[in-house]
Amino acid sequence: MASLAKKRALGTGEKPEEDHEESSDEGIEGVGDSGDDDSEDSDEEINEEITVDFEAHTISDSDSNGIKKLLKQLFLKANINLSQLTDLIIQQNHIGSVIRQADIPEDSDNDDDIDEVFGFISLLNLTERKGSECVEQIKELVLEHCEKCCPKNIAEQLDKILNDTTKPVGLLLSERFINVPPQIALPLHKQLQEEIAEAQRTNKPTGKCHFYIMISKTFKEAGKNNSTLRGGAPKKDELMFTNAEEEFFHEHAVIKFNYSVQEESDSCLAGRWSFDDVPMKPFRTVMLIPAKSISPIMEKLREYLSI
């Protein structure tokens, strides 16, 4: 298979299963899952390590189904035109990457393995794409929940920022299979920032953003009081991030709030979790981060995620 534009080795971790969340932009090595012996002779549990190499590739048309599936895990049953959102991400493929398995086993009888997407990262300039159905739906979703969770002045401030054409806002999307390790986030975000800088230098779409907005998959212990604090800042010890590195973005957010997606979640993939036998409630956490905060966030990523 011909080489694509971006390829790079990353860290080590579990091999992602087909049914789980999230991935990245650069190549990685994965260590696999444990399984039960299905033989009739024994029910003994077998632990097996599988080393898997991943590579980052430029986003292409063949990634459409994989990207859409990952977006579905983020937005669940929200009224978002995911097909259009996926198309926009693919159209601006000078920004962002997908993760695929580097070497497909010769004995694999599944043609889908070749182009399977284990994750992606991208940035969509909501200001430039103003008027697109999916963009307006995302803005409406965010503002609707902000009005419910935050004081009126915060909701008005967010509405003003999202509609200020002089200070573009970018939607930062970073989705991967759930058992892909967070260490991949460092080269993933580093590559994205380089691409954003190049787009800005060459006057390509999405280059300049004054703010980034993120919607993160989070969860809390089901037995605790999970109401969002007025002002949008949940207690830190309550909130856990599916993508662990996104806590660094949360620390720098100037507006942040979370809302429950318990009624939209059909399975653990969508956020119905059990952690150390403690049941968890799924949430989505919205964060507005000034572009000037990306540099200190990257420093945090380098500090905690360097392999």
Side-chain angles (χ1 to χ4, degrees):
M1 184 176 68
S3 298
L4 294 183
K6 285 179 277 192
K7 289 187 176 182
R8 193 157 129 192
L10 253 183
T12 57
E14 294 182 0
K15 178 183 178 182
E17 295 180 12
E18 186 171 341
D19 290 332
H20 286 327
E21 289 180 307
E22 301 181 66
S23 170
S24 311
D25 169 22
E26 324 277 68
I28 77 170
E29 279 191 350
V31 181
D33 313 284
S34 62
D36 293 336
D37 189 346
D38 292 330
S39 70
E40 297 178 0
D41 298 327
S42 173
D43 291 329
E44 181 182 356
E45 186 177 279
I46 296 176
N47 294 319
E48 182 181 2
E49 277 194 354
I50 303 173
T51 299
V52 181
D53 294 322
F54 292 90
E55 291 175 343
H57 292 261
T58 300
I59 297 173
S60 65
D61 290 341
S62 64
D63 301 316
S64 177
N65 288 337
I67 291 173
K68 187 175 179 181
K69 182 167 71 173
L70 288 164
L71 288 172
K72 178 66 176 176
Q73 293 177 163
L74 175 64
F75 289 106
L76 300 175
K77 297 177 182 178
N79 182 32
I80 306 294
N81 186 337
L82 297 183
S83 295
Q84 184 187 58
L85 180 56
T86 301
D87 289 343
L88 291 179
I89 291 169
I90 293 173
Q91 287 170 18
Q92 54 153 50
N93 66 356
H94 63 284
I95 295 282
S97 305
V98 294
I99 286 294
R100 301 197 199 107
Q101 188 170 339
D103 298 310
I104 305 299
E106 293 182 2
D107 58 354
S108 174
D109 56 0
N110 188 352
D111 292 337
D112 292 337
D113 286 346
I114 297 175
D115 293 322
E116 184 173 3
V117 175
F118 290 92
F120 79 95
I121 190 169
S122 188
L123 180 74
L124 186 67
N125 191 312
L126 300 180
T127 307
E128 290 178 352
R129 301 290 185 173
K130 182 179 181 180
S132 298
E133 182 182 38
C134 63
V135 167
E136 297 306 315
Q137 289 170 334
I138 291 169
K139 289 162 63 176
E140 182 179 350
L141 174 72
V142 167
L143 288 171
E144 177 185 345
H145 285 292
C146 185
E147 289 171 357
K148 292 177 181 178
C149 299
C150 302
K152 183 179 179 180
N153 67 308
I154 298 295
E156 290 176 347
Q157 180 186 2
L158 181 59
D159 181 70
K160 182 178 179 181
I161 290 172
L162 287 176
N163 290 288
D164 184 353
T165 57
T166 67
K167 296 180 179 179
V169 178
L171 175 65
L172 180 55
L173 294 163
S174 178
E175 294 300 313
R176 60 179 184 261
F177 288 118
I178 191 166
N179 51 352
V180 174
Q183 283 75 14
I184 64 172
L186 176 57
L188 183 64
H189 283 281
K190 181 180 178 182
Q191 176 71 28
L192 182 68
Q193 290 304 314
E194 291 173 356
E195 291 168 347
I196 292 171
E198 178 63 14
Q200 184 176 347
R201 188 185 69 82
T202 56
N203 293 318
K204 289 183 178 180
T206 308
K208 181 64 175 178
C209 290
H210 282 74
F211 293 96
Y212 294 98
I213 194 163
M214 296 183 71
I215 304 174
S216 293
K217 296 186 295 295
T218 54
F219 51 101
K220 300 178 182 180
E221 288 187 27
K224 291 189 175 183
N225 181 3
N226 290 318
S227 59
T228 304
L229 298 180
R230 299 293 289 179
K235 291 182 180 179
K236 186 175 180 180
D237 60 350
E238 288 184 357
L239 197 65
M240 289 170 278
F241 288 78
T242 303
N243 287 0
E245 74 281 355
E246 291 175 4
E247 185 173 349
F248 299 131
F249 291 86
H250 187 264
E251 291 173 358
H252 287 268
V254 292
I255 295 176
K256 48 193 172 186
F257 58 91
N258 52 283
Y259 60 92
S260 173
V261 291
Q262 182 76 31
E263 300 304 316
E264 301 179 40
S265 302
D266 297 323
S267 69
C268 66
L269 303 183
R272 189 167 295 168
W273 298 89
S274 176
F275 185 76
D276 289 342
D277 296 325
V278 177
M280 296 290 174
K281 284 186 64 176
F283 286 80
R284 293 296 178 266
T285 297
V286 178
M287 300 170 281
L288 183 74
I289 304 110
K292 65 183 180 181
S293 296
I294 294 300
S295 180
I297 290 172
M298 291 300 299
E299 286 299 320
K300 283 283 189 179
L301 293 180
R302 279 188 280 269
E303 180 181 354
Y304 285 95
L305 300 179
S306 295
I307 298 172

